[in-house]
Structures are given as structure tokens and as C-alpha cells.
Amino acid sequence: MEEQLPDLHSHFCDLNLEAHMYASQWFLTLFTAKFPLCMVFHIIDLLLCEGLNIIFHVALALLKTSKEDLLQADFEGALKFFRVQLPKRYRAEENARRLMEQACNIKVPTKKLKKYEKEYQTMRESQLQQEDPMDRYKRENRRLQEASMRLEQENDDLAHELVTSKIALRNDLDQAEDKADVLNKELLLTKQRLVETEEEKRKQEEETAQLKEVFRKQLEKAEYEIKKTTAIIAEYKQICSQLSTRLEKQQAASKEELEVVKGKMMACKHCSDIFSKEGALKLAATSREDQGIETDDEKDSLKKQLREMELELAQTKLQLVEAKCKIQELEHQRGALMNEIQAAKNSWFSKTLNSIKTATGTQPLQPAPVTQPPKEST
């Protein structure tokens, strides 16, 4: 400052304003105590890029930009200016940027800083040598006592922290042991539930096998009845066809015999004289009536047999339809039972897996109620 700002340095000397009164806070806090963050960010960037010497550059730049105001201020005014007015000036980012440009343009040689450091160390040594040994020993003793008190306080704090840590660790260990006991109990309970669930699963599988066997037998029985009914219907159809053919043949034979008898009667003279035209008609009518009565009786008998066979056929068809309906109902019941069994299995598996996952987790488990899968009676 004496080299680059001699007039301001002489003014501060006249005011007895030393550098540590205003600049110590800059160096200790890297200008973060009073100045805005936009300016502090620039200073830290330059510090990381250029090194510690940038702090001297920024300090000299601040003094240069404020030289006119500081030359006109007295001791109190200068301190107030450093404390209040100077930080407000750089709240605008443009002012902070110009200050950084000016700081970068200031030349502070490293060799000169090393020279000033050596001179300061020599001056401090000479001051210490000129000082009274008794005062120096008293100051050293006071410093050692303060260090001893500080170390004792640190020792007490460490001892307190150690005891607290031991107590906390003991509590944590007790809680961990309690938690382990709870988890072991939950694990045993889960294993027991798993065994019970496996037993229930085995029973469900046995019941399912029994249901399948019952359904299979019912299905085989229904198929056998269908085959038997189909064979009976085919036989009835064949019998009806044979009876129809037989009836037609008998009617044809009767007509042929009637024609033969009529021809013979007409060929006989005596018979033709006996049977006059009217009488022949009467006899013919009478014979026809008798023959018709016999034929009607035979037809009635055949029709009766045919109706009986048709009735039996209708009853057989009805039984066939009933058997088909029963088979469809059994198939529907079988599908519903299989769906219920599959849903019960899925529910049981999901609950078992959830119980196992919960038992192996880090949090204590709450015993879950064992849900029995639904049973279907056969």
C-alpha cells in the first residue's frame, strides 16, 4: 500500500488507522462477511485459478476505487465507510465485474511478497528479543495454561462423548437382540404356518384328485349311456323299417289273392249264375268287408305296435336329451370347481410368499391370520 497508494497510506498514518482494523476481516473470511455473493463468487474463482496472491490484488483494488472518499474521511468516518458504504457499492454485478478487472490489472510480484514476509519475521524476532524475558515467560505460561485448559476441556468432552457412545451402543445392542428374538419367533411361526399350509395343500390336492376321478367316472357312465341309447334308437329304426316293409308286402299279397279268387269265381259258370250282378256285388261287397275287417285288424295291430315303438323312441330321445343335459351340468360343475380350486391355490401361494418375505425383512413382523383356502365338498 505504501508503494502503490502512498498518499492514502500517509493519510491512514496521520489518522493512526492501521491495516488490521479494516483488512483483517477481508483476509480471514475471503471477503464473505460483508460483500455480496456475486462479488464473492468472482473472488473465489480467481483464488482457485491464480492462488492466494489474488487476495492482495482485490484489497488494493478496493482501496484504489475508494481512495477519494477515504482521503476526505476521518478515523470514525473511514471505519464506517469500510463497514457500511463499501459493501453497498458492489451490490450491482457490473460494479463487481469492473472491480475484478481492476484487481487483475494490479501487479503484486511474488518476490516482493516473500521479501515483505522475511522483513516481518525479522521485525517480530527483534521485538521478541527486546521484550523483557519475564513478560515473555508470563505470556508463554499464559498461553500454555490456556492450551492446557483447552485440552482438558476437549478431554472431558471426549470422555463424555465416549460414555454417551457406549450407552447408545448398549441400547442399540439391546434393541438389536430384542429385534432378533422377535424375528426368530416370527420365523418359527412362519415355518409352522408353512408346514400347516403344505399339509392343507396336500389335502386339497387329494380332494382335487378325488373330484377328478368322480367326474371321470360320471363322464364315462354318461358316454356309455349315450352309446347304449344310440344303439337302441338304431335298432328301433331298423325294426320300424322292417315292419313297414312287411306290411307293404302283406297288402300286395292280399290284393293278389283277392284278384285270383275273383277270377276263379267269374270263370265258374255255376258260380257266375249263382252270383247275379247284384248278388255278386253283395257277395263281393261282403267278402270285401270281411277281408277289409281282417286287413283293418291287422293294420290296427301294426299301427298299435308302431305307436308303441314311436312312444319308446320318444322316451329314448327324452332320456338321451336328459343325459346330455346332465353331462353339460356335470361339465359346468367340474369347470366351476376347478376354477375355485385354482383361485384357492393362488390365494394360498400369494399369502404364503408374502408371509415368508415379511418374515425375512428388516422390520418386525405382525402375526398375520392364517386364511384357510375354501373347500368344496364332493
Side-chain angles (χ1 to χ4, degrees):
M1 182 180 175
E2 184 178 0
E3 291 181 359
Q4 299 197 17
L5 300 170
D7 49 353
L8 187 59
H9 177 264
S10 60
H11 179 64
F12 282 177
C13 289
D14 295 338
L15 296 177
N16 293 324
L17 182 63
E18 298 181 2
H20 66 84
M21 296 179 182
Y22 58 88
S24 59
Q25 194 178 49
W26 297 351
F27 284 78
L28 292 175
T29 64
L30 290 178
F31 302 93
T32 59
K34 297 291 184 180
F35 292 94
L37 288 178
C38 60
M39 175 180 168
V40 174
F41 291 155
H42 289 299
I43 296 172
I44 293 176
D45 289 339
L46 291 173
L47 176 67
L48 296 175
C49 182
E50 301 293 337
L52 290 174
N53 292 344
I54 198 65
I55 301 175
F56 295 96
H57 294 221
V58 176
L60 291 174
L62 287 172
L63 294 174
K64 273 189 177 182
T65 55
S66 307
K67 183 175 67 170
E68 300 298 331
D69 297 326
L70 292 172
L71 289 174
Q72 297 176 4
D74 56 2
F75 183 82
E76 295 294 335
L79 292 178
K80 185 177 180 181
F81 179 83
F82 282 120
R83 187 176 65 253
V84 179
Q85 297 178 9
L86 185 62
K88 288 183 179 180
R89 180 176 296 180
Y90 297 101
R91 289 180 180 175
E93 190 171 356
E94 183 64 25
N95 295 337
R97 188 182 59 80
R98 286 200 296 267
L99 177 67
M100 292 301 105
E101 291 178 355
Q102 189 171 0
C104 292
N105 293 327
I106 294 176
K107 303 298 181 181
V108 181
T110 305
K111 292 181 179 181
K112 188 172 290 187
L113 289 176
K114 294 290 184 181
K115 178 183 176 182
Y116 291 158
E117 183 178 359
K118 290 179 180 180
E119 291 178 357
Y120 176 77
Q121 294 294 339
T122 305
M123 182 180 67
R124 290 291 298 170
E125 290 176 0
S126 63
Q127 288 178 355
L128 290 175
Q129 290 176 359
Q130 293 175 2
E131 188 179 5
D132 186 9
M134 185 62 67
D135 294 337
R136 186 170 68 251
Y137 291 150
K138 287 181 180 180
R139 186 178 67 255
E140 187 69 21
N141 187 20
R142 187 168 54 254
R143 186 180 63 81
L144 292 174
Q145 287 179 354
E146 291 175 356
S148 177
M149 292 176 63
R150 186 176 67 254
L151 290 175
E152 289 178 357
Q153 182 65 33
E154 290 179 358
N155 188 19
D156 293 340
D157 294 340
L158 290 174
H160 179 70
E161 185 177 355
L162 180 61
V163 173
T164 306
S165 300
K166 285 184 177 181
I167 295 173
L169 288 174
R170 182 71 257 180
N171 293 332
D172 293 340
L173 183 60
D174 294 339
Q175 291 178 1
E177 290 176 352
D178 295 339
K179 189 176 180 181
D181 294 337
V182 173
L183 289 176
N184 288 329
K185 292 179 182 179
E186 291 292 336
L187 183 59
L188 292 175
L189 183 62
T190 304
K191 287 181 178 179
Q192 184 179 358
R193 286 204 302 266
L194 181 61
V195 173
E196 294 175 356
T197 310
E198 289 178 351
E199 182 66 22
E200 187 67 26
K201 176 189 173 184
R202 187 182 60 78
K203 292 180 181 179
Q204 290 286 338
E205 289 177 351
E206 291 177 357
E207 292 179 0
T208 304
Q210 293 176 1
L211 287 174
K212 287 182 179 179
E213 185 65 23
V214 171
F215 288 147
R216 186 183 62 78
K217 290 181 179 179
Q218 290 288 339
L219 187 60
E220 290 178 354
K221 184 178 179 181
E223 290 177 352
Y224 175 74
E225 290 179 356
I226 291 172
K227 290 180 180 179
K228 184 178 178 181
T229 307
T230 306
I232 293 171
I233 292 171
E235 290 178 359
Y236 282 157
K237 286 183 179 179
Q238 186 178 1
I239 292 170
C240 292
S241 177
Q242 291 176 359
L243 290 174
S244 298
T245 306
R246 181 181 173 186
L247 180 60
E248 291 176 357
K249 287 181 179 180
Q250 286 180 358
Q251 287 179 353
S254 298
K255 286 181 180 180
E256 289 178 358
E257 289 178 0
L258 183 62
E259 292 295 331
V260 170
V261 172
K262 184 178 178 182
K264 288 181 178 181
M265 289 177 65
M266 295 303 293
C268 180
K269 185 177 180 182
H270 179 70
C271 291
S272 63
D273 291 340
I274 293 173
F275 292 100
S276 61
K277 187 176 181 180
E278 185 177 355
L281 291 173
K282 288 180 181 178
L283 291 173
T286 303
S287 64
R288 283 194 192 98
E289 287 177 0
D290 295 337
Q291 190 176 3
I293 290 169
E294 294 176 356
T295 305
D296 290 339
D297 292 337
E298 189 175 359
K299 286 182 178 180
D300 290 338
S301 177
L302 291 173
K303 286 181 179 179
K304 186 177 180 181
Q305 293 178 2
L306 184 60
R307 281 196 299 272
E308 289 177 356
M309 287 192 294
E310 287 178 352
L311 182 60
E312 291 179 358
L313 179 62
Q315 290 178 354
T316 306
K317 288 182 178 179
L318 182 60
Q319 292 177 358
L320 178 63
V321 172
E322 290 178 353
K324 288 183 178 179
C325 293
K326 190 174 181 181
I327 290 170
Q328 290 179 356
E329 185 178 357
L330 289 173
E331 288 289 337
H332 179 69
Q333 291 178 359
R334 177 175 175 272
L337 288 173
M338 291 300 291
N339 290 333
E340 291 179 0
I341 291 170
Q342 187 65 31
K345 285 183 179 181
N346 293 336
S347 175
W348 171 75
F349 278 123
S350 63
K351 289 179 180 178
T352 303
L353 290 175
N354 288 334
S355 300
I356 293 173
K357 288 180 180 178
T358 310
T360 56
T362 57
Q363 296 296 329
L365 295 175
Q366 297 295 331
V370 180
T371 304
Q372 296 292 337
K375 295 184 179 179
E376 293 293 336
S377 63
T378 60

